[in-house]
Amino acid sequence: MLGLSPGFLARNRVAEVRMAEHTTFRIGGPAVLIELHCRADLREALPLAPRWLGKGANLLVGDAGPGRPVLRLGRDFGAIEELGRHEGRVRLRVGAAVDLAQLIRRCIDAGLGGLEGLAGVPATVGGALRMNAGTPQRWFCDAVERVECLLPGEEAPRWLERRALAASYRHGGLPAGALALGCELALTPDDPARLRAEAARLKAAKAAAQPLALPSAGCVFKNPAPDCPAGRLIDQLGLKGCRRGGAEVSRVHANFIVNPERRATAGDVVALIRHIRRRAWLERGVVLELEVEPWGCPDELAAHPRDLPEEP
Ligand code: EPU
């Protein structure tokens, strides 16, 4: 399959899937999904120019699929190792395939503070590095010392110091096209009970403010400014409950589009996004930019809203 060698196919898993089964939105057409378990096989997969899948929690995949093979890092990228203490902080090496929730649990149980502020954020470590996952108060990259990544055009991974990466809101600062393979974290010893209580508090706040029981890709738009959250803006425009096909602006948090009956298409979501972006621009002069990552979706998602066509 895809010209991959028999050895590659024996060591890794390659399957035809529907991306709807691999995204929290439960939307997305067909793709070839490669689960890359063996680090030595990375090189053979690179010429396929795959799209890199984490937990699928921040993706809008088109109805015809992503248009390219999809690759998810597996076994050899799933370890958590303690490297020792340095200047009162504990260093961990963590693979990109590690589930963020599992990592946070392990850190809390071991009395290591620094990630508890990300409790409830659905991601893998690779996705969290790429997106600088987090909340307005706490970003994943705050705890990172260095990142192992594969740069475009290179075959051998290299370590980049966090200081050299310009991490910012929803951007880990990795060069375009770079693939994060793992990272080293520096965490601070703390009381497990205090860390556990903080994580529980944040999760409860999220559960109260966000439609976590329904399929979605989390917040759809970046906040245009710290004092102008997209959710409040869309709410003020009266768009909660607005629908296109099976896609609905959440009645709980207006920056979520939900797929309540699991029948929304990517086309429905794109139409709803177009409507929201046009209204925000025409009525408030605000350009809403996508926070979710579109794969195999129309170019209009990146267009200026003044250039978006009116709906028929
Ligand atoms: N608000 C409304 N109506 C709404 C939603 C929000 O008026 O329908 C108001 C809230 O009352 C609040 C303000 O808007 O005054 C901000 O809302 P919230 O506290 O929910 O935070 P947010 O900026 O919308 C951000 C992240 C979330 C993260 C929360 C945790 C972005 C785009 N979103 O949401 O991240 O979970 O903070 O505090 O930065 C995600 O990335 O997918 C995501 C959900």
Side-chain angles (χ1 to χ4, degrees), residues 2-72:
L2 299 173
L4 293 162
S5 67
F8 185 103
L9 295 172
R11 289 184 293 272
N12 305 287
R13 203 178 120 82
V14 183
E16 287 177 4
V17 300
R18 293 196 66 77
M19 289 304 294
E21 294 156 24
H22 295 273
T23 58
T24 55
F25 224 156
R26 301 282 173 244
I27 293 174
V32 174
L33 176 63
I34 303 168
E35 276 175 30
L36 189 89
H37 294 296
C38 182
R39 183 182 260 264
D41 287 326
L42 198 48
R43 194 174 292 194
E44 188 173 337
L46 290 180
L48 300 173
R51 294 191 183 267
W52 304 96
L53 178 68
K55 211 173 163 79
N58 198 44
L59 289 180
L60 174 60
V61 182
D63 299 315
R68 274 153 54 187
V70 174
L71 197 146
R72 180 159 59 199

Side-chain angles (χ1 to χ4, degrees), residues 86-104:
H86 182 65
E87 292 174 355
R89 303 223 284 169
V90 175
R91 295 174 71 106
L92 292 187
R93 183 173 292 170
V94 186
V98 169
D99 185 75
L100 183 61
Q102 182 207 339
L103 174 64
I104 294 173

Side-chain angles (χ1 to χ4, degrees), residues 208-224:
Q210 300 179 359
L212 300 184
L214 297 179
S216 82
C219 283
V220 174
F221 301 103
K222 293 180 188 164
N223 286 341

Side-chain angles (χ1 to χ4, degrees), residues 61-312:
V61 182
D63 299 315
R68 274 153 54 187
V70 174
L71 197 146
R72 180 159 59 199
L73 298 175
R75 190 191 57 230
D76 284 358
F77 304 89
I80 303 176
E81 294 164 74
E82 190 170 327
L83 301 177
R85 275 174 195 252
H86 182 65
E87 292 174 355
R89 303 223 284 169
V90 175
R91 295 174 71 106
L92 292 187
R93 183 173 292 170
V94 186
V98 169
D99 185 75
L100 183 61
Q102 182 207 339
L103 174 64
I104 294 173
R105 232 177 359 256
R106 285 268 298 266
C107 290
I108 291 177
D109 290 345
L112 297 176
L115 296 181
E116 66 287 350
L118 287 119
V121 174
T124 58
V125 165
L129 282 166
R130 160 112 194 246
M131 288 296 299
N132 197 6
T135 68
Q137 290 75 36
R138 185 77 193 158
W139 293 340
F140 186 72
C141 291
D142 292 341
V144 172
E145 293 274 283
R146 46 187 211 135
V147 182
E148 187 189 26
C149 66
L150 200 57
L151 296 177
E154 297 189 0
E155 287 197 344
R158 56 164 90 196
W159 284 91
L160 300 180
E161 294 298 318
R162 155 76 177 82
R163 280 189 302 278
L165 302 173
S168 57
Y169 173 63
R170 290 296 189 265
H171 184 43
L174 289 172
L179 166 69
L181 300 177
C183 63
E184 285 177 10
L185 303 169
L187 302 166
T188 314
D190 205 330
D191 172 22
R194 195 196 73 75
L195 298 174
R196 203 166 286 122
E198 176 62 2
R201 185 187 69 75
L202 288 167
K203 279 192 181 171
K206 244 175 166 300
Q210 300 179 359
L212 300 184
L214 297 179
S216 82
C219 283
V220 174
F221 301 103
K222 293 180 188 164
N223 286 341
D227 62 350
C228 177
R232 186 195 295 156
L233 173 72
I234 299 165
D235 192 355
Q236 286 171 349
L237 290 169
L239 289 171
K240 276 185 169 168
C242 179
R243 269 199 169 233
R244 293 292 179 273
E248 178 178 297
V249 175
S250 165
R251 293 162 197 273
V252 177
H253 192 301
N255 196 11
F256 282 63
I257 291 178
V258 291
N259 177 13
E261 300 94 20
R262 298 185 176 224
R263 65 175 174 84
T265 63
D268 294 340
V269 177
V270 169
L272 193 51
I273 288 175
R274 181 190 310 153
H275 181 64
I276 297 167
R277 294 184 75 224
R278 273 179 58 81
R279 291 277 306 270
W281 171 248
L282 293 173
E283 292 174 39
R284 300 295 170 94
V286 173
V287 178
L288 287 176
E289 285 179 19
L290 281 199
E291 206 255 284
V292 296
E293 192 170 307
W295 286 4
C297 292
D299 292 342
E300 70 160 76
L301 292 175
H304 192 287
R306 78 174 157 246
D307 300 326
L308 294 177
E310 264 181 73
E311 287 177 275

